[in-house]
Amino acid sequence: MRNGGSRRVSSFITQGYRTRRMAVDYAIPLVTDVKCAKLLIEALQFVGGEPKLQTSVDCISAGRVARLPGLVDIHVHMRDPGQTHKEDWSSGTSAALAGGFTVVCAMPNTEPPVVDRASLVGALEVAKAGARCDYALYCGATGTNFERVAELAPLVMGMKMYLNDTFSTLQMDDMSVWLEHMRNWPTDSPIVVHAEDKTMSAAIFAASLIPRSLHVTHVSKKSEILTIKAAKAKGIAVTCDVCPHHLFLSTEDVLKLGSKKSQVRPVLGSMDDQNALWDNMDVIDCFSTDHAPHLMEEKINNGVPGFPGLETILPLLLTAVHSGKLSLEDLLYKLHARPMEIFGLPEQPETYVEVDLDEEWTIGDRPFFTKCNWSPFSGRKVRGSVQRVVLRGRVAFVDGVVLAEKGTGVNMKDSVSPLRPRKRGVSLTVVDKFIARDVKLGKHEPLSVKLSAPGLPKEDHQHSSIDLDWKREDGVRSPQPGQGMIVSPSVSRSATPLSFTSMHHGQHKPIGFDPSLHHPLHTFCPAHEFVGQSLLSVDKLTKEQLNTIFYYANFYLSAFKHQRSIEPVLKGKLMASVFYEVSTRTNCSFSAAMQRLGGSVVSMDTVSSSVKKGESFEDSMIMMSTYADVIVLRHPQPGAAKKAASICAKPVLNAGDGTGEHPTQALLDVFTIREEIGTVNGLVITMGKLMASVFYEVSTRTNCSFSAAMQRLGGSVVSMDTVSSSVKKGESFEDSMIMMSTYADVIVLRHPQPGAAKKAASICAKPVLNAGDGTGEHPTQALLDVFTIREEIGTVNGLVITMVGDLKHGRTVHSLAKLLTLYNVQLRYVSPAGLSMPQSVIDFVKSCQVSQSVYGSLEEALPGTDVLYVTRIQKERFESELEYKKCCGKFVVTPQLMTKAKQKMIVMHPLPRLDEILTDFDTDPRAAYFRQAENGVYIRMAVLSLTLGKTSSHVGQL
């Protein structure tokens, strides 16, 4: 009631509104329009049951990045050995990676041809030395080797029989020889035939007489595909593949290409032939490229038959998907699952291809990796582009650059290869779940695509849901073996899916809703629009959202006025207060709001953080997002909050960005933070304990991670620095430390003087943890560094660890070198002149009999390195700017430099960084420095809990 006694309509909640609000917040489908309800009922009757819905997926995206399994090309010509001017294993497999292929299977028509054990051994040696992706070889059938070639079966992909004219000396015309090969070749190893028209029919008939399976490659004509269709209908074991030039080119393109340039075997078919292939897509088992590179001058002058195709087939097929001629499940089935099954190939663990489904480009505008450097499809516009290829956990190709080194490919038929075996005849699930997200905000309509493999029993296709495990690097988690494809938004940070329901004993239960609680807040559904979302600007708020915010604000205001207790819903949660400008009201009100709700606060400003050392805004924000659950940001630059939200993995609340916006109010912020974070309780181990954070030097990571660790454990923190303490009045170090030890249970000390921590421990009555003492040591950093190495690589023993940068002043490398003497490692040192590792550290390492060596350049030390530990040149340790600049820029980590490093290694940095690691390298999976810094919280939680004798009772149950 107000003044005149009437009630505001906007504050009155009707039963209908409450019902609609609950339906939205609890993700329960609700139809309020009668006409729509009738249509829905009719639709349910039409589909014959309950529709499959998944309402827990939502995303904002302007594009789609698909993560596909590694593709397999069962038909390529590498021209190596013998014709390496056309192609070799290095260039050919580079082209394969650029096209999204992680396995290529090479034909035997090389010089010499692979027809016996000696030629096979030679070809395998060449492939092993040059291949950048995984591979397998075929052996060739001749008119005389049918009695002995079968002994090669365990070592090859299969046997190739050339029954028609082609670019080869292996053609066989005698049908009696065909039969000898078909009888002698093991039935569990495929026979692949180049056979056209009537010859193909004769080959299928001959195989049926044995009987044995047969694979017909590069089918090109209507008569051929119809014959294969009829053979399959009769139960004959025949499979086939089709090439892109027969799907996308025809005799009508000969005039454009030229009579010689258009030469290929089999020749291009008519439009009637091409249409027949598309009309019988269910008959086709595989797609192959028949990658047959020839130099342009050879094509123009001699008309040699063959087209390159490794780099163009995927975008051509994706374009067909966009136009509706092909389904995405068919594409994956024919380029991954079916080839793996027919040829009995093992799985490639941790292997996938990331493709931008929507990127439009023109073939020929980008440089080719194939040596022949041309394509019959040049000038054609396509949609879909390979962005990244990861092979067995290592980035092999990214953004147009091949990172895989020569010789890193694995022979798929080698029994000692690091691959998982797969039984022949077991059907594969290629597309477990295809999650499509609408580009518009608010749409979340997942589409389940089931695999419809021609000729395979339905019981072999098992579909399992894919969890959305978001990662900052690539937006999605790596698909496990058996999982097919995930389509994700093309964003560079992790987004929190708006998941509103969880399964509980088979029924939907709202997340965060406890029926046993009779708190007034639980009378209505929480407004899911706020969950996991950053608050950057008021122009995105709707009237409905304002009403919801004010409702909760009124509740809190009433609770404070009437001195009612408030449920500590944020107990165990942490807010980062990041203020690049001074503030009293906004800063304190946010901190008060968070702590009123049972949460904790860790603070960062420009006075006492590594911003004074030159740390970038981006690095600071990323690091703070690893420590806290939500970030409150004040910055003088308009748009800073929006920029932070785009790079942080946690929600960002805009507390004012210069002359831009300041959308929050204290009570509104209370509700927003509560809705951002939820109600999950944290660990309560050091409750009632107090940590003194005493920092005589500026710091972001060490200071904030110690504070975050203490508060995560339920303890509290009191801080002291040189700016706001009596140190400015001349108080001695000893007096300050003694006083702080009377206030706290443990002291964390950072001091510029070596030995300061040891001195403090001698006079304090409480434990002292060294957070860095000048150029001395930094023991907790060393602990988290070793912990990171173990987590990233799996072991510390046997590794080569290279330390780069300011090794003289870098206390982190001093402690790390000493700690690593507990392991069997090799240490390498690379530093500018005058900044080498102190002799005392070298002597200590030597006394422990650990191998160590000094290198003059990073390029020299990088090969063979398992861990590259980079440190900044510490400007604050130099007497003059000139001396500092002499040492800068000597060793810089760039994506180009890291192409010389191992694919299975990591790059670490204690941070802050300046220019010693380019930000372009941040998206590389080997960049571990942000994960390294996040580990600091967990290490320091362990140290604090052990130091205070407050370990969790749950630890022993892990």
Side-chain angles (χ1 to χ4, degrees):
M1 305 291 289
R2 289 177 179 267
N3 298 333
S6 61
R7 189 165 185 171
R8 293 183 61 184
V9 176
S10 61
S11 64
F12 182 74
I13 300 178
T14 66
Q15 185 64 40
Y17 173 82
R18 181 177 299 177
T19 301
R20 293 191 297 272
R21 188 71 260 163
M22 291 178 66
V24 172
D25 292 335
Y26 286 152
I28 299 174
L30 176 66
V31 181
T32 58
D33 184 271
V34 175
K35 292 182 179 179
C36 292
K38 290 180 178 179
L39 289 173
L40 176 61
I41 294 171
E42 291 178 5
L44 291 175
Q45 292 174 341
F46 179 80
V47 299
E50 181 181 349
K52 294 182 179 180
L53 298 175
Q54 183 179 346
T55 58
S56 62
V57 179
D58 199 356
C59 190
I60 303 171
S61 172
R64 297 175 301 161
V65 174
R67 181 168 288 188
L68 315 179
L71 306 183
V72 180
D73 192 346
I74 60 173
H75 191 148
V76 301
H77 300 270
M78 286 302 171
R79 309 302 192 201
D80 192 5
Q83 295 181 316
T84 54
H85 65 287
K86 301 174 185 282
E87 195 80 282
D88 58 31
W89 276 99
S90 175
S91 62
T93 50
S94 293
L97 290 171
F101 291 96
T102 56
V103 180
V104 291
C105 306
M107 289 297 166
N109 58 334
T110 52
E111 295 181 2
V114 180
V115 295
D116 54 28
R117 183 171 292 274
S119 57
L120 175 61
V121 169
L124 287 174
E125 289 177 352
V126 173
K128 183 178 181 180
R132 300 175 189 266
C133 71
D134 293 350
Y135 61 91
L137 272 61
Y138 292 93
C139 65
T142 70
T144 59
N145 70 347
F146 49 80
E147 292 182 348
R148 61 185 184 279
V149 72
E151 66 183 20
L152 305 181
L155 305 176
V156 295
M157 180 82 163
M159 181 175 65
K160 176 69 178 289
M161 296 173 59
Y162 292 89
L163 310 184
N164 279 98
D165 178 42
T166 185
F167 189 74
S168 169
T169 59
L170 300 179
Q171 182 177 345
M172 298 185 299
D173 299 319
D174 190 341
M175 191 172 182
S176 64
V177 176
W178 303 357
L179 290 170
E180 290 293 338
H181 277 295
M182 291 179 181
R183 289 192 189 98
N184 295 339
W185 189 255
T187 56
D188 62 347
S189 182
I191 291 180
V192 178
V193 295
H194 174 161
E196 304 172 36
D197 293 333
K198 296 178 181 179
T199 304
M200 185 203 73
S201 299
I204 294 174
F205 176 73
S208 68
L209 295 177
I210 302 300
R212 64 158 301 120
S213 63
L214 192 71
H215 182 87
V216 182
T217 190
H218 45 50
V219 173
S220 62
K221 291 183 172 55
K222 179 179 180 179
S223 59
E224 295 169 359
I225 194 67
L226 294 179
T227 299
I228 293 173
K229 182 178 183 178
K232 286 187 174 186
K234 294 290 186 181
I236 297 175
V238 59
T239 54
C240 67
D241 65 74
V242 172
C243 301
H245 44 271
H246 293 126
L247 288 171
F248 297 98
L249 296 175
S250 69
T251 51
E252 295 183 5
D253 296 288
V254 172
L255 183 62
K256 176 183 175 182
L257 291 172
S259 60
K260 292 186 176 180
K261 187 178 177 181
S262 63
Q263 286 298 309
V264 66
R265 296 293 183 273
V267 298
L268 296 179
S270 66
M271 281 301 300
D272 190 37
D273 292 323
Q274 184 183 112
N275 292 333
L277 296 179
W278 285 107
D279 292 341
N280 291 278
M281 192 56 63
D282 59 329
V283 180
I284 299 169
D285 294 275
C286 309
F287 293 132
S288 71
T289 65
D290 191 9
H291 177 76
H294 298 284
L295 299 183
M296 181 58 72
E297 52 266 33
E298 294 176 319
K299 293 288 291 184
I300 299 300
N301 296 332
N302 304 320
V304 287
F307 294 151
L310 280 167
E311 298 171 72
T312 53
I313 182 174
L314 184 57
L316 287 168
L317 292 174
L318 286 174
T319 304
V321 170
H322 284 292
S323 65
K325 298 183 70 175
L326 182 71
S327 71
L328 201 46
E329 64 168 337
D330 254 351
L331 186 154
L332 291 178
Y333 179 73
K334 299 179 194 304
L335 278 178
H336 175 77
R338 192 61 170 143
M340 299 282 272
E341 180 188 6
I342 292 173
F343 293 91
L345 296 174
E347 292 176 353
Q348 297 172 291
E350 300 180 73
T351 297
Y352 57 89
V353 179
E354 291 181 358
V355 178
D356 186 334
L357 294 177
D358 298 315
E359 181 179 356
E360 296 183 356
W361 58 289
T362 301
I363 295 176
D365 286 354
R366 302 174 181 177
F368 293 104
F369 285 90
T370 176
K371 278 189 177 182
C372 71
N373 198 33
W374 69 280
S375 169
F377 299 103
S378 290
R380 181 174 297 213
K381 292 183 178 180
V382 289
R383 186 175 175 188
S385 175
V386 176
Q387 288 189 335
R388 186 193 299 261
V389 178
V390 175
L391 178 58
R392 295 188 302 280
R394 305 178 184 182
V395 178
F397 174 88
V398 61
D399 295 335
V401 178
V402 175
L403 299 180
E405 297 177 353
K406 294 199 303 183
T408 55
V410 171
N411 183 358
M412 296 288 278
K413 300 301 292 186
D414 188 344
S415 60
V416 298
S417 299
L419 304 166
R420 296 191 180 101
R422 171 182 283 140
K423 294 181 180 179
R424 186 182 305 281
V426 177
S427 301
L428 304 176
T429 300
V430 187
V431 185
D432 292 309
K433 186 80 72 174
F434 170 39
I435 299 179
R437 295 182 179 83
D438 198 299
V439 174
K440 299 179 181 178
L441 174 63
K443 300 278 186 176
H444 40 275
E445 304 173 357
L447 173 64
S448 176
V449 177
K450 293 184 178 180
L451 180 63
S452 56
L456 294 181
K458 291 184 178 179
E459 58 268 20
D460 286 337
H461 305 294
Q462 299 175 356
H463 305 277
S464 60
S465 62
I466 295 178
D467 296 327
L468 296 181
D469 185 11
W470 298 82
K471 300 290 185 186
R472 187 177 67 85
E473 296 79 13
D474 46 22
V476 291
R477 74 178 172 93
S478 172
Q480 300 301 315
Q483 292 180 347
M485 177 197 65
I486 302 174
V487 177
S488 69
S490 56
V491 292
S492 60
R493 69 183 184 96
S494 83
T496 305
L498 302 181
S499 301
F500 317 128
T501 60
S502 61
M503 294 304 295
H504 182 67
H505 298 297
Q507 297 186 2
H508 288 286
K509 176 185 176 185
I511 289 179
F513 180 79
D514 188 349
S516 66
L517 295 176
H518 298 287
H519 194 287
L521 285 181
H522 295 295
T523 304
F524 306 103
C525 306
H528 73 264
E529 294 98 323
F530 296 94
V531 179
Q533 299 297 310
S534 294
L535 182 58
L536 306 178
S537 173
V538 295
D539 61 4
K540 301 298 182 183
L541 294 174
T542 65
K543 183 65 179 293
E544 185 181 53
Q545 290 171 328
L546 284 178
N547 289 337
T548 306
I549 291 170
F550 292 150
Y551 176 82
Y552 283 92
N554 284 329
F555 167 79
Y556 283 122
L557 180 61
S558 176
F560 290 143
K561 282 184 176 180
H562 295 89
Q563 297 183 351
R564 292 195 297 265
S565 61
I566 298 176
E567 181 185 3
V569 291
L570 299 186
K571 188 176 182 180
K573 295 299 178 179
L574 189 62
M575 180 188 87
S577 178
V578 182
F579 275 66
Y580 279 75
E581 284 185 325
V582 294
S583 168
T584 299
R585 278 152 296 281
T586 304
N587 194 347
C588 292
S589 63
F590 261 113
S591 297
M594 189 69 182
Q595 295 177 77
R596 285 277 193 183
L597 291 171
S600 302
V601 180
V602 60
S603 300
M604 172 194 150
D605 55 36
T606 58
V607 176
S608 58
S609 72
S610 292
V611 172
K612 296 199 74 170
K613 298 179 181 178
E615 182 173 54
S616 69
F617 171 73
E618 291 81 0
D619 283 2
S620 294
M621 294 306 301
I622 291 172
M623 287 315 311
M624 295 305 291
S625 72
T626 66
Y627 298 147
D629 300 287
V630 64
I631 298 172
V632 175
L633 174 65
R634 162 73 66 86
H635 198 280
Q637 184 67 36
K642 185 176 182 181
K643 184 177 183 180
S646 70
I647 59 177
C648 289
K650 303 294 171 60
V652 176
L653 305 182
N654 186 357
D657 53 352
T659 59
E661 290 202 34
H662 190 344
T664 57
Q665 299 176 17
L667 291 175
L668 181 151
D669 297 337
V670 174
F671 168 71
T672 305
I673 296 173
R674 192 242 187 232
E675 292 302 305
E676 293 269 4
I677 299 173
T679 60
V680 181
N681 290 325
L683 293 172
V684 181
I685 295 176
T686 60
M687 180 174 287
K689 296 294 182 179
L690 185 65
M691 182 191 86
S693 178
V694 182
F695 275 66
Y696 279 75
E697 283 187 325
V698 295
S699 168
T700 298
R701 268 150 300 281
T702 305
N703 192 349
C704 291
S705 63
F706 259 116
S707 297
M710 189 65 180
Q711 293 178 83
R712 287 280 192 188
L713 293 171
S716 303
V717 179
V718 60
S719 300
M720 171 193 149
D721 55 36
T722 59
V723 176
S724 59
S725 71
S726 293
V727 172
K728 297 200 78 170
K729 300 178 181 179
E731 183 175 54
S732 68
F733 171 73
E734 291 81 358
D735 286 358
S736 295
M737 294 307 301
I738 290 172
M739 288 311 305
M740 294 305 290
S741 70
T742 65
Y743 300 147
D745 299 287
V746 62
I747 298 172
V748 175
L749 174 64
R750 163 72 66 85
H751 199 279
Q753 185 64 38
K758 186 176 182 180
K759 184 177 182 180
S762 69
I763 60 176
C764 290
K766 302 293 171 61
V768 176
L769 303 180
N770 185 358
D773 55 350
T775 59
E777 289 198 37
H778 196 340
T780 58
Q781 179 70 43
L783 288 171
L784 77 90
D785 290 341
V786 174
F787 177 76
T788 299
I789 294 172
R790 288 183 57 190
E791 290 296 302
E792 294 283 333
I793 298 180
T795 184
V796 181
N797 287 315
L799 300 182
V800 176
I801 301 172
T802 300
M803 299 180 184
V804 183
D806 189 347
L807 306 186
K808 176 181 179 181
H809 301 121
R811 56 194 168 214
T812 60
V813 291
H814 301 168
S815 294
L816 180 59
K818 292 179 180 180
L819 192 59
L820 287 172
T821 59
L822 299 175
Y823 299 90
N824 176 26
V825 298
Q826 297 180 43
L827 299 182
R828 296 178 178 179
Y829 307 136
V830 184
S831 64
L835 298 181
S836 58
M837 186 70 81
Q839 191 60 43
S840 60
V841 177
I842 293 176
D843 291 342
F844 181 89
V845 173
K846 183 178 180 181
S847 68
C848 297
Q849 298 181 337
V850 171
S851 172
Q852 53 185 337
S853 52
V854 177
Y855 288 79
S857 69
L858 186 53
E859 289 80 2
E860 183 184 3
L862 197 55
T865 294
D866 298 297
V867 178
L868 182 64
Y869 195 98
V870 185
T871 62
R872 69 182 176 91
I873 306 300
Q874 301 192 16
K875 183 178 180 180
E876 64 272 22
R877 312 295 181 192
F878 288 81
E879 295 182 358
S880 69
E881 182 83 10
L882 181 61
E883 291 182 11
Y884 166 70
K885 289 185 175 179
K886 287 181 180 179
C887 298
C888 290
K890 302 293 185 183
F891 308 108
V892 180
V893 175
T894 66
Q896 291 73 26
L897 174 68
M898 292 306 294
T899 60
K900 302 177 182 179
K902 288 182 175 182
Q903 292 303 302
K904 192 174 180 65
M905 56 88 68
I906 58 173
V907 178
M908 300 173 63
H909 194 304
L911 301 177
R913 64 171 170 186
L914 300 181
D915 55 3
E916 58 273 10
I917 300 179
L918 295 188
T919 56
D920 292 348
F921 184 68
D922 290 353
T923 58
D924 193 297
R926 296 171 294 180
Y929 28 88
F930 289 126
R931 301 191 295 274
Q932 169 191 358
E934 183 178 0
N935 289 334
V937 175
Y938 313 127
I939 284 292
R940 285 160 183 145
M941 287 176 71
V943 171
L944 285 168
S945 61
L946 290 169
T947 301
L948 294 171
K950 291 280 186 177
T951 54
S952 172
S953 60
H954 297 292
V955 173
Q957 301 172 13
L958 297 178

